[in-house]
């Protein structure tokens, strides 16, 4: 194989676009993980499982609603809410009692939850592969510079900035965002001024998990909805959070961009060894900036 | 502390007691015991459940008919798709459960490990899903039998069908894993032998369980090949076909993928799957349109309320071969059982299937078809099916000898 195959500029731009749409999903899931990590100091390994449950819930809701266009939109709204509800129960029932424990303990607890959720999914949905359809208007593709670009990916490209803006608004402009920031720095001080820190943490945890569910619901029409889809995403998003800077949402965005784009471009330029590209990028970033690209602002 | 120690004592007592009553089964009328190790958790179970369920159905029928003087019973162990767990389960089945026959598994690494164990323990091992050609090829031996096609057979069948089409410029994309490379190599090596003018533009290798194939497909399209050989398997077939549909890949460049036409792949995609995809498989519940297959399908549906997928054929074959081999041998001795199995032919839903005496590989016919919408089912089916007979797809005995260094 040629070391430098003949790649047109059009193909390169098109590949960038495809990479960006994948970045959207990575960002949405990673930002939720980063939020929980930053405020609650919980390395939530079960985040990937919630993403999986989001996808399964989306499938169930969409099928129950007839599987058409309406079913998809309903699923996109309800599935993340369902995941948020599950996470609320988990937070109130268990995690809220564990905040004082050390990191390793929390890590083990969340790891235990990946096993519990994994078996739960198997019990509820069984082992068959599941699949749901994108709405008719988002099916198929159109030509960008002579190459096919799936309409659904364009939809993802629109959703990504909306979620980013929403998160920016939430953390900078709302009261809960400001309290959460303060609570992350000094929990006792916030409690001393009469704020119920426990509920602030619960809200942040639920919002973070909602994002996992949203990511799951968004990928559901493009993927095979099956057990084990939690493994890949949790590894990738953890890497993204680490290179971006722990707990920094903009770091998650930057990390997702680096990860998603090196992946897509690697596939185009050196398809035989494409798998290694995003990981090489991660290693490079960590060698240059061991604490991540951006500061942990929370 | 006291209630706790009492609790531990009670638990121990119960465990010891249950070990005593369930341990020795020797005083019961001795049944033939089959030990199945396979992955029953996670995505592979969508394939392995069919093997087990069809095996059970066939065994129940054999036991009810009384055609053997001993009953056949079986125990299963979950390998969790891990070689170490599966291998220790296999050891446990052989040492403690004293199984007469081993069966399984979808994991190629584990299949080879159990095969090795069975060679030492002199226990027949019937492989029911692993696609590794090494099982009956390079690593074949007296005690291992493969009742499923493997990457060599599938690759040869795909190459035969591709050679008939007017394509010369190819691209290969596949799982960066043994299965992907094995099936791609088998296809390409045979294709270049029967059609020397073909050329390979390039290759893409992705990780197993790649979630989104869109960037791979757009990159392959940018290279403008005549056709693409897709060497991906299992759970990855579904997202690949989804991405193919979303990008219009199937309309732009023809591609062939082993197992693309299988029920486990096409059913989750529903009526919205991509049409015109070339694929090969050992079994369809709607093909061959024979009385045997219809009877098999209706029995399976009656028992499990779903149509049988390809795994069901392997489970059925295992049970049928076990019954016939013992009946022919007229004995329950292992060596006689193996002698009987070598070269044995049974009737099956896909017609007569013979185990080649030399390498113990079942000569299964391969069905190549094109995905198409169907009026009867709410998922795509394979159409324009071409049958590649087991004899044609089998690697030559000389090749096996060469691989084994004979």
């Amino acid at each position: 194989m040629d070391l430098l195959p003949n790649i047109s500029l059009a193909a390169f731009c098109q590949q960038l676009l495809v990479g960006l749409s994948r970045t959207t999903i990575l960002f949405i899931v990673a930002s939720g993980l980063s939020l929980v990590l930053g405020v609650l100091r919980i390395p939530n390994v079960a985040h990937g499982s919630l993403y999986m449950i989001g996808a399964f819930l989306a499938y169930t809701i969409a099928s129950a609603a007839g599987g058409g266009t309406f079913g998809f939109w309903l699923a996109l709204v309800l599935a993340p809410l369902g995941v948020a509800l599950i996470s609320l129960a988990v937070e109130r029932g268990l995690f809220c009692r564990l905040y004082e424990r050390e990191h390793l303990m929390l890590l083990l607890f969340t790891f235990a939850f990946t096993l519990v959720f994994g078996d739960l999914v198997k019990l509820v949905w069984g082992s068959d592969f599941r699949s749901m359809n994108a709405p008719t208007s988002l099916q198929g593709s159109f030509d960008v510079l002579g190459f096919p670009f799936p309409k659904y990916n364009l939809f993802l490209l629109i959703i990504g900035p909306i979620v980013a803006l929403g998160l920016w608004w939430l953390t900078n402009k709302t009261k809960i965002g400001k309290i959460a920031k303060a609570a992350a720095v000094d929990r006792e001080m916030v409690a001393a001024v009469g704020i119920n820190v426990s509920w602030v943490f619960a809200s942040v945890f639920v919002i973070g998990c909602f994002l996992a569910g949203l990511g799951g619901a968004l990928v559901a029409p493009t993927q095979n909805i099956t057990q084990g889809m939690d493994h890949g995403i949790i590894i990738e998003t953890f890497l993204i959070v680490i290179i971006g800077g722990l707990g920094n949402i903009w770091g998650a965005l930057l990390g997702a961009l680096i990860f998603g784009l090196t992946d897509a471009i690697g596939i185009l330029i050196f398809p035989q060894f494409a798998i290694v590209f995003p990981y090489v990028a991660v290693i490079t970033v960590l060698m240059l900036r061991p604490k991540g690209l951006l500061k942990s602002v929370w | 502390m006291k209630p706790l120690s009492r609790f531990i004592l009670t638990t121990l007592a119960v465990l010891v007691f249950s070990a005593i009553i369930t341990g020795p089964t020797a005083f019961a009328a001795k049944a033939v015991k089959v030990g199945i190790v396979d992955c029953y958790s996670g995505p592979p179970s969508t394939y392995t459940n069919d093997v087990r369920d069809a095996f059970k159905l066939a065994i129940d029928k054999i036991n009810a008919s009384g055609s053997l003087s001993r009953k056949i019973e079986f125990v299963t162990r979950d390998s969790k798709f891990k070689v170490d767990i599966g291998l220790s389960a296999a050891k446990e089945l052989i040492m403690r459960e004293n199984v007469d026959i081993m069966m399984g598994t979808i994991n190629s690494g584990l299949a080879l490990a159990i095969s090795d164990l069975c060679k030492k323990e002199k226990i027949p091992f019937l492989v029911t899903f692993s696609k590794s050609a090494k099982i009956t090829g390079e690593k074949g031996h007296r005690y291992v039998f493969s009742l499923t096609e493997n990457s060599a057979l599938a690759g040869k069948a795909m190459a035969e069908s591709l050679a008939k089409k007017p394509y010369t410029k190819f691209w290969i994309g596949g799982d960066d894993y043994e299965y992907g490379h094995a099936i791609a190599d088998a296809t390409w090596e045979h294709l270049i032998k029967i059609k020397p003018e073909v050329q390979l533009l390039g290759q893409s290798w992705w990780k197993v369980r790649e979630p989104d194939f869109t960037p791979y497909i757009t990159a392959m399209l940018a290279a403008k090949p005549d056709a693409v050989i897709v060497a991906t398997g299992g759970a990855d077939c579904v997202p690949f076909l989804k991405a193919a549909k979303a990008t219009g890949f199937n309309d732009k460049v023809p591609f062939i993928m082993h197992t693309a036409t299988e029920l486990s792949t096409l059913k989750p995609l529903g009526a919205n799957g991509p049409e015109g995809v070339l694929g090969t498989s050992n079994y369809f519940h709607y093909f061959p349109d024979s009385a045997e297959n219809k009877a098999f399908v209706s029995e399976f549906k009656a028992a499990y309320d779903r149509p049988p997928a390809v795994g069901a054929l392997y489970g059925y074959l295992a049970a049928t071969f076990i019954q016939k081999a013992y009946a022919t041998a007229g004995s329950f001795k292992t060596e006689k059982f193996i002698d009987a199995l070598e070269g044995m032919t049974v009737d099956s839903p896909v017609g007569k299937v013979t185990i080649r005496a030399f390498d113990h590989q079942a000569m299964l016919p391969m069905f190549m078809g094109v995905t198409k919408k169907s009026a009867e089912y709410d998922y795509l089916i394979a159409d324009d099916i071409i049958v590649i007979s087991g004899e044609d797809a089998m690697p030559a005995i000389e090749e096996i000898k060469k691989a084994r260094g004979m």
Side-chain angles (χ1 to χ4, degrees):
Chain A
M1 209 184 87
D2 298 338
L3 197 63
L4 265 179
N6 191 14
I7 295 159
S8 67
L9 188 66
F12 187 81
C13 294
Q14 202 266 352
Q15 197 72 4
L16 269 183
L17 276 180
V18 171
L20 273 178
S21 56
R22 170 113 182 92
T23 300
T24 302
I25 301 289
L26 290 174
F27 164 66
I28 290 173
V29 181
S31 62
L33 184 68
S34 195
L35 194 68
V36 172
L37 191 63
V39 178
L40 283 77
R41 314 267 180 231
I42 294 180
N44 188 11
V45 187
H47 202 67
S49 312
L50 293 165
Y51 162 88
M52 172 168 70
I53 291 174
F56 271 102
L57 278 178
Y59 160 78
T60 302
I61 294 164
S63 319
T69 303
F70 171 70
F72 168 79
W73 295 111
L74 192 72
L76 195 58
V77 174
L78 290 185
L81 288 177
V83 171
L85 266 180
I86 294 171
S87 66
L88 181 68
V90 169
E91 202 278 344
R92 285 292 93 185
L94 191 68
F95 284 130
C96 70
R97 293 156 217 278
L98 302 172
Y99 289 138
E100 305 303 325
R101 303 289 178 94
E102 55 181 308
H103 280 300
L104 185 63
M105 273 298 177
L106 289 170
L107 190 69
L108 286 175
F109 273 120
T110 59
F111 181 69
F113 265 94
T114 63
L115 302 178
V116 172
F117 283 142
D119 271 357
L120 205 67
V121 165
K122 190 181 163 192
L123 272 175
V124 176
W125 284 282
S127 56
D128 281 353
F129 303 151
R130 310 282 175 165
S131 169
M132 65 180 267
N133 289 327
T136 330
S137 51
L138 295 178
Q139 282 176 12
S141 61
F142 49 83
D143 269 17
V144 175
L145 306 163
F147 289 100
F149 187 68
K151 287 179 189 164
Y152 194 81
N153 287 41
L154 182 76
F155 168 67
L156 291 179
L157 281 181
I158 298 166
I159 290 283
I162 294 175
V163 172
L165 270 177
L167 275 174
W168 173 81
W169 179 76
L170 185 82
T171 53
N172 291 307
K173 297 284 168 189
T174 61
K175 199 172 167 198
I176 184 162
K178 288 174 183 168
I179 296 171
K181 269 186 185 174
V185 177
D186 192 336
R187 197 175 304 176
E188 280 172 19
M189 193 60 217
V190 175
V193 298
I195 292 166
N196 189 343
V197 180
S198 174
W199 275 101
V200 172
F201 280 15
S203 322
V204 172
F205 187 77
V206 168
I207 292 166
C209 297
F210 173 88
L211 288 168
L214 181 65
L218 278 172
V219 297
T222 68
Q223 284 191 20
N224 187 10
I225 306 164
T226 158
Q227 302 169 67
M229 63 188 287
D230 49 341
H231 298 319
I233 195 85
I234 193 65
I235 293 169
E236 289 177 359
T237 47
F238 248 112
L239 286 176
I240 286 165
V241 168
I242 289 166
I243 60 171
L246 291 177
N248 187 321
I249 288 174
W250 305 116
L253 179 59
L254 205 57
L257 277 170
I258 292 172
F259 200 93
L261 292 182
T262 46
D263 189 34
I265 298 305
I267 288 166
L268 182 69
I269 293 178
F270 219 35
Q272 263 181 294
F273 303 102
I275 300 174
V276 301
F277 274 75
Y279 300 98
V280 168
V282 168
I283 292 169
T284 315
V285 168
L286 287 182
M287 269 166 39
L288 299 174
R289 291 187 72 98
K291 293 197 160 182
L293 288 166
L294 300 183
K295 207 172 136 257
S296 178
V297 291
W298 288 78
Chain B
M1 208 50 210
K2 217 173 180 187
L4 186 65
S5 56
R6 184 182 291 169
F7 169 75
I8 291 170
L9 263 179
T10 329
T11 319
L12 273 179
V14 169
L15 282 178
V16 169
F17 184 68
S18 61
I20 289 169
I21 55 168
T22 56
T25 45
F27 55 79
K30 198 173 175 328
V32 173
K33 205 166 195 179
V34 182
I36 309 180
V37 177
D38 219 332
C39 178
Y40 294 114
S41 48
S45 46
T46 188
Y47 301 101
T48 55
N49 287 344
D50 268 49
V51 179
R52 181 197 56 204
D53 292 349
F55 184 73
K56 182 178 185 305
L57 203 62
I59 289 295
D60 288 348
K61 230 171 131 180
I62 292 164
N63 286 341
S65 76
S67 58
L68 291 177
S69 58
R70 290 185 192 171
K71 292 251 184 280
I72 301 174
E73 54 183 47
F74 72 97
V75 276
T76 60
R77 294 286 184 273
D78 185 2
S79 72
K80 301 193 164 66
F81 211 73
K82 297 210 168 71
V83 176
D84 53 337
I85 294 177
L87 190 60
S88 53
K91 281 180 183 156
E92 184 250 344
L93 287 176
I94 293 173
M95 310 295 172
R96 287 197 43 222
E97 297 278 340
N98 294 316
V99 296
D100 302 287
I101 297 169
M102 284 293 302
M103 224 175 104
T105 135
I106 197 162
N107 178 330
S108 294
L110 178 57
L112 288 165
I114 295 180
S115 169
D116 212 39
L117 174 71
C118 287
K119 187 179 171 185
K120 281 186 209 118
E121 299 291 337
K122 299 197 186 324
I123 303 273
F125 177 35
L126 310 181
V127 178
T128 49
F129 223 111
S130 161
K131 307 292 184 214
S132 172
K134 285 184 186 150
I135 292 167
T136 51
E138 183 189 334
K139 306 266 167 133
H141 55 83
R142 178 168 166 80
Y143 296 92
V144 70
F145 293 82
S146 170
L147 305 181
T148 165
E149 38 74 7
N150 59 36
S151 54
L153 268 87
K156 209 172 162 190
M158 287 206 286
E160 288 286 345
S161 49
L162 282 176
K164 294 187 181 88
K165 309 259 178 187
Y167 315 137
T168 49
K169 285 188 281 179
F170 285 88
W171 189 280
I172 290 177
D175 289 345
D176 204 358
Y177 181 67
E178 197 203 330
Y179 170 77
H181 284 282
I183 206 157
D185 289 350
T187 311
W188 189 251
E189 276 164 23
H190 193 65
L191 185 60
I192 208 156
K193 199 155 57 181
I194 54 177
K195 193 175 175 182
E197 66 267 32
V198 292
Q199 63 180 108
L200 189 59
L201 294 183
Q203 308 172 42
S204 311
W205 293 100
W206 46 75
K207 62 174 188 286
V208 177
R209 305 188 61 72
E210 169 64 45
D212 185 3
F213 288 97
T214 315
Y216 287 96
I217 288 174
T218 49
M220 288 193 270
L221 285 175
K224 299 192 175 66
D226 292 341
V228 177
I229 298 164
V230 182
T232 204
D236 287 349
C237 293
V238 178
F240 189 90
L241 291 182
K242 279 194 149 190
K245 172 94 179 173
T247 50
F249 186 31
N250 51 319
D251 299 327
K252 292 183 178 73
V253 177
F255 66 92
I256 188 164
M257 178 162 93
H258 182 53
T259 73
T261 46
E262 258 167 31
L263 183 67
S264 316
T265 307
L266 290 179
K267 205 172 162 198
L269 290 165
N272 220 358
E275 287 189 286
V277 176
L278 288 165
T280 38
S281 175
N282 270 152
Y283 180 72
F284 301 115
H285 65 86
Y286 44 83
F287 188 90
D289 200 12
S290 62
E292 288 90 348
N293 194 22
K294 278 182 181 150
F296 178 67
V297 172
S298 66
E299 264 176 50
F300 192 90
K301 265 189 181 161
Y304 302 112
D305 196 27
R306 63 172 197 270
V310 66
L313 174 70
Y314 306 143
Y316 173 88
L317 282 175
T320 315
F321 273 117
I322 289 172
Q323 188 274 338
K324 193 167 176 188
Y326 279 132
T328 314
S331 147
F332 289 93
K333 293 213 167 68
T334 297
E335 300 303 323
K336 293 250 169 73
F337 172 79
I338 289 173
D339 289 340
L341 263 187
E342 290 184 331
M344 171 170 278
T345 303
V346 294
D347 289 314
S348 83
V350 294
K352 291 201 182 305
V353 174
T354 305
I355 292 183
R356 185 156 77 177
F358 180 77
D359 59 353
H360 295 185
Q361 173 65 46
M363 301 203 270
L364 288 158
M366 191 75 77
F367 306 130
M368 189 184 78
V370 182
T371 56
K372 195 172 176 249
K373 281 196 167 63
S374 128
E376 209 175 324
Y377 306 102
D378 53 1
Y379 44 85
L380 301 194
I381 58 162
D383 197 38
D384 292 334
I385 295 171
I386 301 168
V387 181
I388 299 139
S389 73
E391 287 82 358
D392 285 346
M394 289 287 280
I397 290 180
E398 283 66 44
E399 283 172 42
I400 308 270
K401 279 187 174 163
K402 214 166 83 187
R404 289 186 190 175
M406 288 162 87

